[in-house]
Amino acid sequence: EVQLVETGGVLIQPGGSLRLSCAASGFTVSANFMTWVRQAPGKGLEWVSVIYGGDTDYAESVKGRFTISRDNSKNTVYLQMNSLRADDTAVYYCARGRSGSPLEYWGQGTLVTVSS
Amino acid sequence: DIQMTQSPSVMSASVGDRVTITCRASQGISNYLAWFQQKPGKVPKRLIYAASSLQSGVPSRFSGSGSGTEFTLTISSLQPEDFATYFCLQHNSYPLTFGGGTKVEIK
C-alpha cells in the first residue's frame, strides 16, 4: 500500500529555516516524480517543487530559498525551506506521480505557519 | 508559465443535476490535464488524468474531456458526497499549474 507521511511543520518566525520530511512506503521514491504542493489557508493549490532522478525544479516563488532532496536509503523526500516569509504559510503536501500520471498519491499534509 | 483558467469559481447545484466545469489553458497542453476533488479539511483526490482517464475507484458519473486548451469535467448526476471544490492541473510542462478551483455548493 502506498503511503506518504509528512512531518516537520511548525510555527516559525519570518526569516527562519525549516526542513519538511516526506516518508514513503509501498514504493521507491527514487523511481517516481516526488512533488511538494502547498495550500495557503482558504486558498487554492500551488505546485512548489519536484524531484525525479537527478533533476529538480521549483516554482518561481520559492526558487533560491527552497531545496528539494531525497534520501534513497530512508525512502524519504525533504524540502529545505530558508528565508521563510509570511506568504509561505500553508499546508504542505507531498505527492507521488509518474510520467503522464501526476500527483496520484498524497500525504495528509503538514502545516507551516510563518509569523512573529 | 501556462495559466489555467477555471470556470465557474462557484456554482450551486442540486442532487441529480448534471454539472460541467471548464478549464482553459493559456497555451496548448495536448491532453496533459488532471482533475482533483477536495473536501473541506481533506487531502485532494485525483479523479481524472490524461484529460479523460478515470482514476481507479472513482465513480463513473465523473468524466473528463478535451484537448489542446479547452477541458471539461462533467458529473452526470450530482450526489450528496460530490459537494466539494474541484481543481484542474496542467502537467504538460513545469511549473505545473492549477486552476483556481470551482466550489460546488448545494442549491
Side-chain angles (χ1 to χ4, degrees):
Chain A
E1 180 191 7
V2 171
Q3 281 198 319
L4 296 163
V5 179
E6 303 97 330
T7 55
V10 293
L11 169 62
I12 189 165
Q13 292 190 338
S17 296
L18 190 61
R19 188 178 80 162
L20 304 182
S21 300
C22 171
S25 58
F27 71 99
T28 302
V29 295
S30 61
N32 289 270
F33 290 79
M34 298 303 300
T35 300
W36 289 95
V37 174
R38 68 184 181 182
Q39 187 170 36
K43 303 296 184 182
L45 300 169
E46 180 186 16
W47 175 84
V48 174
S49 183
V50 65
I51 185 167
Y52 175 66
D55 294 329
T56 61
D57 205 348
Y58 301 90
E60 200 61 40
S61 58
V62 307
K63 201 170 289 185
R65 300 188 298 124
F66 291 10
T67 302
I68 192 170
S69 62
R70 184 181 65 221
D71 184 334
N72 294 340
S73 67
K74 295 182 178 179
N75 212 33
T76 297
V77 177
Y78 303 99
L79 187 67
Q80 177 66 42
M81 309 163 66
N82 299 330
S83 303
L84 283 162
R85 312 184 304 220
D87 62 359
D88 294 318
T89 294
V91 174
Y92 285 74
Y93 295 102
C94 172
R96 184 199 100 170
R98 293 179 170 170
S99 180
S101 179
L103 309 182
E104 181 178 8
Y105 295 97
W106 296 61
Q108 84 288 349
T110 188
L111 176 62
V112 174
T113 303
V114 184
S115 174
S116 54
Chain B
D1 298 0
I2 297 174
Q3 308 303 316
M4 302 302 295
T5 303
Q6 200 173 328
S7 61
S9 55
V10 180
M11 65 180 304
S12 297
S14 300
V15 172
D17 283 353
R18 181 181 182 87
V19 168
T20 299
I21 298 168
T22 298
C23 215
R24 181 176 292 112
S26 60
Q27 62 190 77
I29 59 170
S30 185
N31 69 333
Y32 294 105
L33 193 285
W35 290 98
F36 295 84
Q37 176 194 65
Q38 188 178 32
K39 298 180 180 179
K42 300 298 185 182
V43 178
K45 172 186 173 183
R46 195 175 78 175
L47 302 175
I48 301 282
Y49 63 100
S52 60
S53 295
L54 190 67
Q55 178 70 28
S56 175
V58 172
S60 59
R61 63 180 179 271
F62 291 92
S63 64
S65 64
S67 68
T69 61
E70 293 275 341
F71 301 87
T72 298
L73 173 70
T74 300
I75 310 172
S76 60
S77 178
L78 196 67
Q79 297 302 300
E81 61 268 30
D82 301 336
F83 291 96
T85 299
Y86 295 84
F87 296 94
C88 63
L89 166 77
Q90 70 80 18
H91 56 104
N92 178 74
S93 61
Y94 287 101
L96 303 190
T97 44
F98 289 91
T102 296
K103 185 175 183 180
V104 178
E105 298 180 329
I106 301 172
K107 183 182 284 184

